[in-house]
Amino acid sequence: MDKILVLIFGLLSILFTYWYFFMKKINTVQAEGIVEILVDGGYKPEQISIPYGKTTKLIFHRKDSSSCLEEVVIADFKVRKFLPLNEKTEIEINPTKKGEFDFSCGMGMFHGKLIVK
Amino acid sequence: MKTKQTFAIKGMHCASCVYTSEKALKTISGVTEAVVNLTTGKATLTSETPIEKNKIIDAVKSVGYQAMFPTYAKASVGKEETLDDKIKTEKIRELKDLKIKVIVSLFLSSFIVWGSFPGLMNTAPDIVKNMFYHFFLASIIQFWGAYDFYKATVSSLRHRIANMDTLVVIGTTVAYLYSTAVVFYPGFFERLNLKVEPYFDVSTVIIGLILLGRFLEAQAKAGTGEAIKKLIGLQAKTARVIRDKKEIDISIDEVVAGDLIRVRPGEKIPVDGVIVEGESAIDESMVTGESMPASKYKGDTVIGATMNKSGSFVYKATKVGKDTMLSQIIKLVEEAQGSKAPIQRLADIISSYFVPIVIMLAIATFVGWYVFIPSGGLVLAMLNSIAVLIIACPCAMGLATPTAIMVGTGIGAQHGILIKDAESLETAHKIKAIIFDKTGTLTKGQPEVTDVVITDSNARHRVFSTATPQRGPWRLSQKQVSSLLIFAASIEKHSEHPLGEAIVKKAEEEKLQLIKVNKFKSITGKGVEALVNGKKIYVGKLLKNLSIKEADRLKNQGKTVVYVYVEDKLAGLIAIADTVKETAREAVQQLQNLRINVFMITGDNKQTAQAIAVQVGIKKENVLAEVLPEEKEKKVKELQGREQKFLFRTKNTVAFVGDGINDAPALASADVGIAMGTGTDVAIEAAGITLVNKNLMSVVSAIKLSKQTMKTIKLNLFWAFAYNVVLIPVAMMGLISPILASGAMAISSISVITNSLFLKKAKII
């Protein structure tokens, strides 16, 4: 009996894990010239739409002391920047190509996305 | 002349404040640019003439903030906390915190192990064996030692993200909660036929070892970014500027283009510029990687951050602030370190799905051991699933490529090899063919007079080679050589032909006095003609079509021959050639040793091209001569498509080495464009790799660096993947204890970083 319960519970947990981490909906935030991104256990907002050909200031506000999030990497724009804790770090981006560009922490564990339209 | 004013703005706390204050500052008349930085709280105004402070203060006040000006003295010695300082303080604090936690956690957990490990526990006093005592120690480690893991897990779970910390937290919390239940409700476990045995040793040792891993990792990681710190540290702090005929020491930030700066022996040159007075030998190794000091005279350019060795001189600043060569180099290296190598893509994709998959595998392990394995049971199921959670190491995968790229680009910069992005560094290791532009790349790019031939009264020719001065009978005609050079140079002084320049330069070197000429005439496509001392002199192509043995011999050596006629009679020949760089032959040889096919491309005729090719050791069939500048790109593409492997036509990886000025299309279409010796303009868009010096051995070094870096990355990735692919199933099968798992995990990421740091010892020269 207990084995059946564990089996059912285990399968449900696996499904829940899949749903919780892989099926989340991400809202896209429209940025007009400037956007503040909270760095705390991830990036908030996670997905940002920025205009093509215009300079957008991304202001990363790091509140998370985890060293995992100490750096932000926007590889397509060749940015790797240290974010001092509890401070706002400004990164200017002027996209000259359209598309979706990933940004992440130094080790590629946390991700965010810039959508250039 | 533009001026810049920097001051602090107080009271800003959000992004919109920046906009408001920038807008307010831009309304001040005369201001061309206003930039406000929220992070530093500083504003920089650019204007044609300095703006009065009151005007600025009022403008800032009108939008509700306060402008604060540093006093002059403060500005020059002003101690402002730079990003570098901040990183340093933060890292020191992080390491200190970690150190305390590591020591305390490992110390306390050792007591738990002593009091609970079979065999060891017999030697322990009763108090150490007490389960409540274990619970007390374990709680300290769980909630104080692992506090940061919990904090990171909670905030990332809110974003529906799982990371390394999540795995540690789930694994240790399960062990801790199970053990706590055993301590407080032993009866419940007895009824289930389970041993009353807590697993505090598992939770605490895991935390201790993972903290230790973090500590060592943080220490090692600091070493990967050292190169940039060194480059920033090269910057001079002050400059001795001559203003109003007085020499004053000012902060480097206040130096403007056009300032006259005095540099004494042993001092650092503050910014880029041109010498206007004096001469010196300058050690430029820190920027160009060239170990020999460079002699610099009036009119020569000097690079900021390099060291003045012997003389004292005054120079005019031409590039300051972010335009200096050093700033551009730092920017380039920073950008390269921010870019991603294509090889990293797979690791990126895997690591973004990795942690949730491991959680699912851990649950499956628990279910498997509990439900399907008869000898399993609750405890084994729990311990094995904890081992799965703990042994998984996504960090090693995430660190494998970036750490090696950081070290690799850093080493490059120290040797004057600037890599634009990680992709170029990656591609360079696959180079199969390399095309060198001839003029200015393989050769010095400045034609020089190499031989002078005199036609004597018997119409015999006697050669004077400047490369190997001859003795004996030749001395007699030294005078003749001088007079021939004087005639030719006096006329050529009026022409603008590069060959003419070489003749004039030669005459100047020989300290010959030039003569005034009359009736100068340029005959298009032929040469130049004038009256010198009443004699009709012609310098240029051969006038009558006859074969001169000496001329043919010189032409076969790839030299250009200019004929000098006096009163319509051939008086002599002057041979001019572009000389090969000293390092060319060795570089070509070494590239060939690396199994790279070396080509030469030039617009010159075949004869000249072949002669140079022989000198540098390039194969005859690899000479691409008489190629128009616009056709160079086409040749690159041709070579890219040349490789045939079995039945497939694969693209050949081709590098093009040029000076970056007129070779831009070829540099861009090559798989790796290498621009070399570009003076102070290092940011060449078309090139993937820019070599600051003109030493051709740097090309070899760049390729060696790429090969070494790729070797490191591949080893790192192999290790990181193999580790996870092998050990996760091993843990699922119950073949590894959670404590061993945590040890393996800690070692795996450190070994990846250490391997990247080994790159520093790689021989690239």
Side-chain angles (χ1 to χ4, degrees):
Chain A
M1 182 61 196
D2 58 331
K3 287 191 177 183
I4 294 168
L5 277 178
V6 166
L7 185 64
I8 293 168
F9 191 70
L11 287 175
L12 286 176
S13 307
I14 291 175
L15 284 177
F16 174 78
T17 311
Y18 185 87
W19 170 81
Y20 192 77
F21 293 115
F22 294 150
M23 295 181 68
K24 62 176 174 181
K25 265 194 188 154
I26 301 167
N27 292 326
T28 307
V29 171
Q30 291 281 343
E32 297 289 334
I34 195 156
V35 63
E36 200 167 315
I37 301 159
L38 184 69
V39 184
D40 191 5
Y43 300 102
K44 200 177 175 181
E46 225 176 312
Q47 205 157 280
I48 302 148
S49 165
I50 61 173
Y52 165 82
K54 277 186 194 164
T55 305
T56 303
K57 279 185 184 176
L58 306 175
I59 297 176
F60 285 88
H61 188 186
R62 177 176 161 223
K63 281 190 166 173
D64 196 321
S65 60
S66 155
S67 62
C68 221
L69 283 159
E70 71 188 14
E71 269 183 330
V72 68
V73 180
I74 317 174
D76 295 284
F77 296 93
K78 292 193 193 167
V79 174
R80 173 184 289 270
K81 203 143 193 192
F82 186 88
L83 309 173
L85 185 60
N86 294 321
E87 275 191 33
K88 291 176 181 176
T89 306
E90 208 174 277
I91 294 171
E92 272 189 14
I93 274 182
N94 188 354
T96 50
K97 46 195 169 185
K98 288 182 186 177
E100 295 191 353
F101 306 103
D102 195 58
F103 62 91
S104 66
C105 68
M107 290 184 219
M109 289 283 111
F110 296 96
H111 294 264
K113 205 178 267 175
L114 292 175
I115 299 169
V116 181
K117 279 181 190 165
Chain B
M1 194 167 63
K2 280 186 177 172
T3 65
K4 279 192 176 178
Q5 284 162 284
T6 304
F7 50 92
I9 295 186
K10 247 182 119 177
M12 293 191 301
H13 42 77
C14 64
S16 67
C17 306
V18 173
Y19 255 25
T20 347
S21 29
E22 274 182 4
K23 233 168 125 186
L25 287 169
K26 278 180 192 158
T27 56
I28 305 173
S29 67
V31 172
T32 50
E33 206 187 334
V35 180
V36 177
N37 189 319
L38 182 64
T39 330
T40 57
K42 287 205 165 172
T44 309
L45 279 194
T46 313
S47 53
E48 290 300 327
T49 50
I51 309 284
E52 281 172 44
K53 279 182 194 172
N54 287 342
K55 278 188 185 167
I56 298 173
I57 293 171
D58 288 344
V60 176
K61 208 175 167 186
S62 69
V63 284
Y65 311 110
Q66 198 186 344
M68 313 233 311
F69 283 86
T71 60
Y72 196 76
K74 255 190 188 167
S76 29
V77 287
K79 229 183 147 188
E80 173 204 332
E81 211 192 9
T82 60
L83 181 66
D84 225 34
D85 297 331
K86 278 181 195 163
I87 296 172
K88 220 172 155 184
T89 15
E90 210 175 301
K91 282 285 144 199
I92 290 171
R93 201 182 49 219
E94 188 191 324
L95 281 172
K96 208 175 119 196
D97 277 3
L98 267 171
K99 202 171 168 180
I100 297 169
K101 284 187 172 170
V102 169
I103 293 170
V104 174
S105 304
L106 286 177
F107 181 71
L108 296 184
S109 60
S110 67
F111 278 95
I112 298 176
V113 174
W114 189 21
S116 62
F117 203 73
L120 260 184
M121 63 188 291
N122 301 335
T123 64
D126 279 346
I127 173 77
V128 176
K129 281 190 270 190
N130 187 307
M131 288 201 295
F132 289 97
Y133 173 71
H134 290 178
F135 166 74
F136 174 68
L137 296 183
S139 301
I140 295 175
I141 298 172
Q142 195 72 33
F143 299 112
W144 170 76
Y147 174 74
D148 288 332
F149 296 137
Y150 276 102
K151 219 172 87 180
T153 303
V154 170
S155 47
S156 62
L157 281 182
R158 267 192 286 146
H159 287 88
R160 297 172 74 163
I161 298 168
N163 65 339
M164 194 60 231
D165 299 300
T166 320
L167 297 178
V168 176
V169 161
I170 300 174
T172 59
T173 309
V174 167
Y176 174 80
L177 289 180
Y178 174 86
S179 310
T180 308
V182 170
V183 172
F184 289 99
Y185 306 101
F188 173 76
F189 290 87
E190 274 166 358
R191 256 175 278 138
L192 287 172
N193 278 334
L194 289 170
K195 264 199 207 164
V196 182
E197 197 176 50
Y199 286 92
F200 286 126
D201 53 341
V202 170
S203 68
T204 55
V205 175
I206 288 175
I207 291 170
L209 286 178
I210 287 174
L211 283 171
L212 177 67
R214 284 273 161 99
F215 174 74
L216 296 174
E217 188 184 308
Q219 242 176 358
K221 239 176 96 189
T224 57
E226 240 166 32
I228 284 265
K229 279 180 221 146
K230 270 192 198 155
L231 283 173
I232 295 170
L234 285 178
Q235 184 71 267
K237 304 268 182 302
T238 58
R240 185 168 302 120
V241 176
I242 306 171
R243 282 184 187 165
D244 303 329
K245 289 182 185 163
K246 269 189 221 158
E247 285 184 20
I248 46 165
D249 280 329
I250 59 167
S251 156
I252 187 129
D253 309 327
E254 292 165 38
V255 178
V256 291
D259 267 341
L260 289 176
I261 301 168
R262 166 149 347 254
V263 186
R264 293 186 196 145
E267 282 182 343
K268 227 180 227 183
I269 295 164
V271 294
D272 297 354
V274 180
I275 297 183
V276 292
E277 187 191 312
E279 55 183 64
S280 183
I282 295 169
D283 176 9
E284 295 184 334
S285 60
M286 54 295 273
V287 178
T288 64
E290 196 81 83
S291 55
M292 288 295 286
S295 299
K296 302 265 174 158
Y297 307 94
K298 190 178 165 187
D300 283 344
T301 51
V302 291
I303 307 167
T306 57
M307 191 62 88
N308 178 28
K309 292 283 225 195
S310 50
S312 169
F313 61 90
V314 175
Y315 77 102
K316 194 167 141 188
T318 51
K319 284 176 179 173
V320 297
K322 64 175 174 32
D323 299 326
T324 63
M325 187 166 178
L326 182 71
S327 303
Q328 286 186 56
I329 291 175
I330 293 170
K331 191 172 156 247
L332 216 64
V333 177
E334 273 177 347
E335 284 182 354
Q337 297 189 337
S339 68
K340 261 183 194 166
I343 198 170
Q344 198 183 341
R345 260 176 232 145
L346 183 67
D348 268 357
I349 293 169
I350 293 178
S351 56
S352 60
Y353 295 103
F354 187 77
V355 176
I357 288 174
V358 170
I359 296 175
M360 291 189 259
L361 287 176
I363 299 170
T365 306
F366 185 88
V367 173
W369 277 88
Y370 192 84
V371 179
F372 301 107
I373 295 176
S375 61
L378 180 66
V379 173
L380 267 185
M382 178 185 76
L383 290 179
N384 290 338
S385 58
I386 292 174
V388 171
L389 289 171
I390 299 299
I391 206 155
C393 188
C395 287
M397 277 189 286
L399 291 168
T401 317
T403 50
I405 295 283
M406 280 181 83
V407 177
T409 48
I411 300 171
Q414 283 164 356
H415 291 95
I417 302 162
L418 305 175
I419 294 147
K420 191 174 156 201
D421 48 30
E423 193 174 343
S424 307
L425 187 61
E426 182 177 331
T427 319
H429 91 288
K430 292 188 284 195
I431 292 173
K432 286 278 175 293
I434 191 162
I435 308 173
F436 281 95
D437 183 40
K438 183 184 80 81
T439 312
T441 306
L442 281 175
T443 65
K444 288 178 183 158
Q446 292 154 339
E448 286 173 21
V449 171
T450 57
D451 310 79
V452 178
V453 180
I454 304 293
T455 315
D456 65 13
S457 45
N458 300 326
R460 275 192 318 221
H461 302 292
R462 296 169 92 170
V463 187
F464 174 74
S465 168
T466 54
T468 49
Q470 286 140 12
R471 290 164 200 278
W474 168 241
R475 265 191 215 157
L476 298 168
S477 24
Q478 179 78 51
K479 224 175 131 193
Q480 286 173 285
V481 170
S482 298
S483 71
L484 191 80
L485 272 175
I486 291 172
F487 282 146
S490 301
I491 298 179
E492 289 291 359
K493 187 132 185 117
H494 299 270
S495 88
E496 279 165 3
H497 200 277
L499 294 176
E501 268 174 43
I503 297 173
V504 175
K505 206 176 135 208
K506 181 73 192 164
E508 281 170 358
E509 271 172 24
E510 302 270 313
K511 300 207 164 69
L512 300 175
Q513 205 69 44
L514 300 190
I515 309 167
K516 208 177 154 226
V517 301
N518 292 316
K519 293 188 181 167
F520 175 83
K521 197 165 77 184
S522 174
I523 312 160
T524 313
K526 284 273 179 195
V528 285
E529 195 185 84
L531 285 180
V532 184
N533 280 353
K535 284 180 185 166
K536 189 177 138 199
I537 311 278
Y538 163 89
V539 184
K541 285 188 176 164
L542 193 62
L543 288 179
K544 277 177 209 145
N545 206 1
L546 37 91
S547 168
I548 301 168
K549 213 175 114 201
E550 274 312 317
D552 290 342
R553 191 183 61 83
L554 292 167
K555 278 189 206 158
N556 280 336
Q557 291 173 359
K559 293 170 184 169
T560 307
V561 178
V562 175
Y563 301 82
V564 184
Y565 284 79
V566 179
E567 297 287 10
D568 294 328
K569 261 178 84 183
L570 185 64
L573 331 167
I574 298 173
I576 296 160
D578 190 2
T579 45
V580 168
K581 280 187 193 166
E582 291 83 9
T583 49
R585 201 179 169 86
E586 198 192 341
V588 168
Q589 179 69 46
Q590 290 221 21
L591 288 169
Q592 284 164 345
N593 290 350
L594 291 169
R595 294 188 173 180
I596 295 170
N597 212 355
V598 183
F599 291 81
M600 182 177 83
I601 200 163
T602 177
D604 284 0
N605 63 57
K606 276 189 185 131
Q607 217 173 18
T608 312
Q610 293 287 7
I612 297 281
V614 169
Q615 283 180 55
V616 298
I618 291 177
K619 284 186 221 150
K620 235 181 176 179
E621 62 269 28
N622 283 1
V623 175
L624 312 167
E626 288 163 29
V627 181
L628 295 170
E630 57 272 23
E631 284 175 350
K632 286 182 181 173
E633 186 190 351
K634 222 173 88 192
K635 287 279 173 195
V636 170
K637 290 198 169 131
E638 265 175 45
L639 273 181
Q640 282 172 332
R642 207 181 249 188
E643 183 93 336
Q644 181 104 27
K645 263 187 189 164
F646 304 114
L647 293 171
F648 307 102
R649 271 184 87 84
T650 50
K651 202 176 154 235
N652 215 356
T653 309
V654 175
F656 186 93
V657 190
D659 56 15
I661 298 155
N662 36 33
D663 300 327
L667 284 171
S669 62
D671 299 283
V672 185
I674 304 176
M676 86 180 298
T678 48
T680 54
D681 228 358
V682 295
I684 302 286
E685 262 308 303
I689 298 175
T690 303
L691 305 172
V692 182
N693 58 48
K694 292 189 173 176
N695 186 342
L696 280 161
M697 286 305 288
S698 296
V699 176
V700 183
S701 298
I703 294 171
K704 281 188 180 168
L705 176 68
S706 161
K707 283 185 189 279
Q708 293 285 355
T709 310
M710 288 314 292
K711 215 165 102 185
T712 305
I713 292 176
K714 283 177 184 165
L715 188 67
N716 280 350
L717 284 173
F718 172 77
W719 168 248
F721 277 110
Y723 167 88
N724 283 301
V725 168
V726 172
L727 290 186
I728 291 177
V730 168
M732 288 176 79
M733 286 187 277
L735 298 174
I736 201 162
S737 82
I739 290 180
L740 267 180
S742 67
M745 210 291 310
I747 291 167
S748 77
S749 38
I750 297 161
S751 58
V752 162
I753 301 174
T754 315
N755 190 33
S756 296
L757 289 174
F758 271 137
L759 246 185
K760 286 187 186 173
K761 296 212 162 61
K763 278 206 179 113
I764 59 162
I765 289 177

